[in-house]
Amino acid sequence: MWSTRLLVLGLVRWLGPVHGYLVRRELDTWRMPGKPEIGAGSIYHALKKLTADGMIEVVSTESVDARPARTTYAITARGEAEFQRTLREKLWEVEAGEDPFSTAWSFAQVLTRAENIALLRQRADVLFSRVEQVTALLAATTPEFVPGNEGSFVPAHARAMMKRQIDLWITDAEWCEETAGRIESGDLVLGPDLDAEHAAYWREAIKGDRFIDHARERQAMIDEIGASEARDS
């Protein structure tokens, strides 16, 4: 996965010479609520792959106090070039991420009205809880680095990203609450699950030229948006 590869390469670049255990400890402090943990297996796999690809190199392998041997890594010139390239590529890139909720919501009409209302409000509660957690974390930390007080230090650019995540969660939670309210009031009617008769009708509709023409028109609009973004960049 490119994100794990970039994170590990970037931390070897910053902390190196460094061994995988310290890379993992640092990454543990970067995780946001609701975000999956990058496991030790993924980190050590990335280190091995980066070494095989010539992006990092082994500096030493040693054991201290009868502990298992630890391998220390440093970035190579090739790795520096790869890091710089990937960093800029991903910062410039505007890419739609996979959102499980968006995919599942495509079939919201399968659920009952009460189920949709309940799940939307539960989702909003979880998101607002995450907002509270990260807001409290920001309040308890500082962008000023003081030796001996590293635990309270969160750099300014990381704080800005945390604020961005808070804003995204708030927008998502407010949409969930608003949509639940619209369903409850009758303003938004999701409709019943499709039955066999409707499914048969839709299968035939999909075969028709009119459906294909409309699909092509929509795709042309999407392609134009992508082309416009490419020209602007």
Side-chain angles (χ1 to χ4, degrees):
M1 191 174 183
W2 75 263
S3 56
T4 301
R5 183 180 172 92
L6 180 64
L7 286 168
V8 172
L9 183 59
L11 284 176
V12 171
R13 176 183 185 271
W14 174 38
L15 298 171
V18 66
H19 52 72
Y21 177 71
L22 292 184
V23 171
R24 182 186 179 190
R25 292 194 67 173
E26 177 62 19
L27 279 178
D28 283 344
T29 69
W30 291 21
R31 188 157 62 98
M32 299 277 280
K35 300 293 185 181
E37 177 185 11
I38 301 177
S42 296
I43 293 171
Y44 287 106
H45 175 76
L47 288 168
K48 289 181 180 179
K49 187 67 168 63
L50 287 166
T51 303
D53 292 344
M55 304 300 171
I56 61 177
E57 61 185 0
V58 174
V59 175
S60 65
T61 300
E62 58 184 11
S63 178
V64 179
D65 297 331
R67 296 175 183 173
R70 287 178 175 168
T71 302
T72 299
Y73 301 91
I75 196 167
T76 63
R78 182 176 179 182
E80 177 69 24
E82 174 71 6
F83 173 79
Q84 296 286 345
R85 183 195 66 78
T86 306
L87 178 66
R88 285 169 172 78
E89 176 185 298
K90 297 303 179 182
L91 286 174
W92 278 99
E93 198 173 78
V94 180
E95 185 176 279
E98 183 179 353
D99 182 355
F101 178 81
S102 296
T103 302
W105 183 254
S106 302
F107 302 98
Q109 76 276 12
V110 173
L111 305 183
T112 65
R113 177 173 172 272
E115 283 181 293
N116 275 302
I117 292 170
L119 74 87
L120 286 166
R121 288 187 169 148
Q122 167 65 16
R123 179 178 173 85
D125 288 345
V126 171
L127 291 168
F128 279 130
S129 175
R130 292 177 183 174
V131 168
E132 291 178 1
Q133 292 176 53
V134 178
T135 300
L137 177 62
L138 282 173
T141 57
T142 173
E144 304 299 328
F145 177 74
V146 178
N149 193 28
E150 292 84 0
S152 64
F153 171 65
V154 176
H157 72 281
R159 299 175 72 86
M161 180 57 72
M162 293 166 74
K163 179 61 170 61
R164 171 182 179 268
Q165 184 61 70
I166 287 173
D167 292 342
L168 291 172
W169 282 333
I170 289 174
T171 299
D172 193 349
E174 289 177 343
W175 179 89
C176 289
E177 289 190 330
E178 177 189 359
T179 303
R182 291 181 62 203
I183 295 172
E184 194 168 47
S185 68
D187 178 54
L188 176 59
V189 179
L190 300 178
D193 191 9
L194 294 179
D195 57 22
E197 181 181 350
H198 283 97
Y201 173 85
W202 203 247
R203 282 198 302 272
E204 291 304 313
I206 292 172
K207 297 176 184 177
D209 291 339
R210 184 172 63 176
F211 182 90
I212 297 299
D213 290 341
H214 288 167
R216 286 172 176 167
E217 289 174 4
R218 287 194 297 271
Q219 188 59 53
M221 292 174 62
I222 294 171
D223 291 342
E224 177 55 31
I225 292 172
S228 176
E229 290 177 346
R231 289 194 296 271
D232 291 343
S233 63

